[in-house]
Amino acid sequence: MTDATHGPASPALAGMVPTAAHLTVPVVEQAPMARDTWRLRLRSPEIAAQIVPGQFFMVRAAGREDPLLGRPFALLDTYEDEAGPAGVDFGYVVVGKLTSLMPAWQRGESVEIWGPLGNGFPPPGAWKHLMLVAGGIGQTPFLAVAREALGQKRYGSPARPAGRPGRVTLCYGVRSAEYFAGLSDFALDGLDVQLATDDGTRGRRGFVTDLVTDAIDQGEGPDAVYCCGPEPMMHAVQQICLRHEIPCWLSLESPMACGFGACFSCVVRVRMDDGTWDYRRSCVEGPVFPAGRLVLS
C-alpha cells in the first residue's frame, strides 16, 4: 500500500515482518567492491523469495558472543539457482568490530541472519522519471531498485506490481573514485548513471546533490526521488525535493540493536498530521520514510 504523499504503509503487525525468519545460513562467496568495501553472498532461499528492494536483514557471526548483537544490512540483490531465489547479496564497509571480522568469513562458514525486515521502497512503476540518489555506501539498495524499475527482475512473494518508469537515473557520489562500489553492476540497459566525487577524481567535481540540482535546473528533473546515504546528504536532498515539490523517500541508516522494534535504539522523529512530531522506529516503520515526514537536523 503506497501513495505519493505518505509512501509505503508500515507492516500491519508491530515488530518483525510477519513472514521474517531467523536462520543459520552458509556463506557462499565474498568479493571486493571498493576500498574497504565488500560484497557478501549468503544462501537463504526463504529470505530471498520474500525480500523487496529497500528491506534489510540483521546479520551476526554464528556461535560467537563478541560482538553479541547483529548488524543491519540492506539488500543489494538476490541471486537465483535452478530452483529460483537462492540467497541474498549485501555490501558492507569495514568500520567496526563485526565488519572487521567479516572479510575473513569463508565459503561454507555459518552466519546467523534474520529478515526480511522493514518496509522497503515503493514499487517504482508509478513514476515517469525515477531518480536514485546515493552517497557513500548508500548505493547498496539501488541495484535491486534499478533492476525492478527497468523490468529486469521482480521481487517479493507475491511479486510486487510490475510497471516501468519512462526514465531511471542513478546519481552516485563518494569522496574519491576509489570508493565507488559496484559500478559495473550498474551497467544496466536503460539506467542513466551520473557520478560525482568530492575531489574530482571521477565524474562531476562536487557533491551528489549538485547532480540533482543540475537535472532540475536543466528541465530534466525527476518526478520521484529515492535516496540513501549519510544523513547530511539526505537532509540536503530532502530540502531540494521539498522546495521543488518532488515526492521523495529516504532510506535511513540508523544504528540498530534488535531489528524488530523491541529496543527502540533506532528511533527517528517523524511529523504527524497535526503538525507535531513523534518518534518512530526505523526498523519497523522504516527504514524508508517519506522525506516530508522526517525531522532531520
Side-chain angles (χ1 to χ4, degrees):
M1 175 181 176
T2 62
D3 61 57
T5 302
H6 298 105
S10 299
L13 301 176
M16 295 178 79
V17 174
T19 54
H22 186 183
L23 306 164
T24 299
V25 302
V27 172
V28 176
E29 65 179 20
Q30 290 211 67
M33 296 180 72
R35 178 174 174 177
D36 301 325
T37 307
W38 296 78
R39 176 183 60 81
L40 180 63
R41 172 168 290 183
L42 302 177
R43 180 167 178 80
S44 180
E46 301 90 339
I47 293 176
Q50 301 176 51
I51 199 164
V52 300
Q55 286 188 306
F56 71 98
F57 33 80
M58 301 291 286
V59 174
R60 70 183 297 270
R64 293 182 63 105
E65 295 184 356
D66 185 24
L68 178 63
L69 300 175
R71 297 291 185 269
F73 297 98
L75 173 72
L76 176 65
D77 204 357
T78 60
Y79 77 94
E80 298 182 352
D81 60 17
E82 62 280 358
V88 292
D89 293 343
F90 65 94
Y92 68 92
V93 178
V94 177
V95 292
K97 180 174 286 188
L98 180 63
T99 52
S100 295
L101 297 171
M102 286 166 58
W105 290 357
Q106 300 295 314
R107 180 180 176 87
E109 191 168 343
S110 294
V111 175
E112 285 187 45
I113 181 172
W114 53 104
L117 302 171
N119 55 1
F121 286 102
W127 315 116
K128 295 178 181 178
H129 180 191
L130 174 61
M131 180 173 283
L132 315 175
V133 183
I137 195 64
Q139 97 293 347
T140 298
F142 292 140
L143 181 59
V145 171
R147 285 178 169 160
E148 184 177 45
L150 295 170
Q152 298 179 0
K153 202 166 182 179
R154 297 184 70 184
Y155 299 85
S157 180
R160 303 214 301 178
R164 180 171 176 176
R167 181 178 176 187
V168 185
T169 301
L170 171 67
C171 297
Y172 182 15
V174 293
R175 287 179 288 168
S176 185
E178 62 187 337
Y179 291 99
F180 280 123
L183 280 185
S184 61
D185 293 330
F186 286 104
L188 304 175
D189 186 24
L191 181 63
D192 177 16
V193 178
Q194 301 181 17
L195 305 177
T197 50
D198 294 356
D199 62 4
T201 50
R202 187 165 182 182
R204 190 192 199 284
R205 184 185 185 95
F207 299 136
V208 69
T209 48
D210 297 331
L211 298 174
V212 180
T213 54
D214 284 350
I216 294 171
D217 291 344
Q218 294 165 12
E220 299 180 353
D223 65 336
V225 170
Y226 297 174
C227 179
C228 184
E231 186 168 311
M233 182 275 283
M234 290 199 292
H235 181 257
V237 172
Q238 176 195 53
Q239 296 307 303
I240 292 169
C241 290
L242 290 175
R243 188 162 60 250
H244 293 277
E245 299 183 339
I246 300 171
C248 176
W249 286 262
L250 306 178
S251 179
L252 302 185
E253 298 178 326
S254 305
M256 298 177 187
C258 72
F260 52 88
C263 69
F264 285 79
S265 67
C266 64
V267 294
V268 295
R269 293 187 295 169
V270 176
R271 290 186 179 89
M272 302 288 97
D273 290 336
D274 62 4
T276 62
W277 62 266
D278 200 356
Y279 288 110
R280 292 292 182 268
R281 296 162 295 179
S282 293
C283 64
V284 176
E285 286 85 8
V288 179
F289 291 91
R293 292 279 185 168
L294 285 172
V295 182
L296 299 178
S297 55

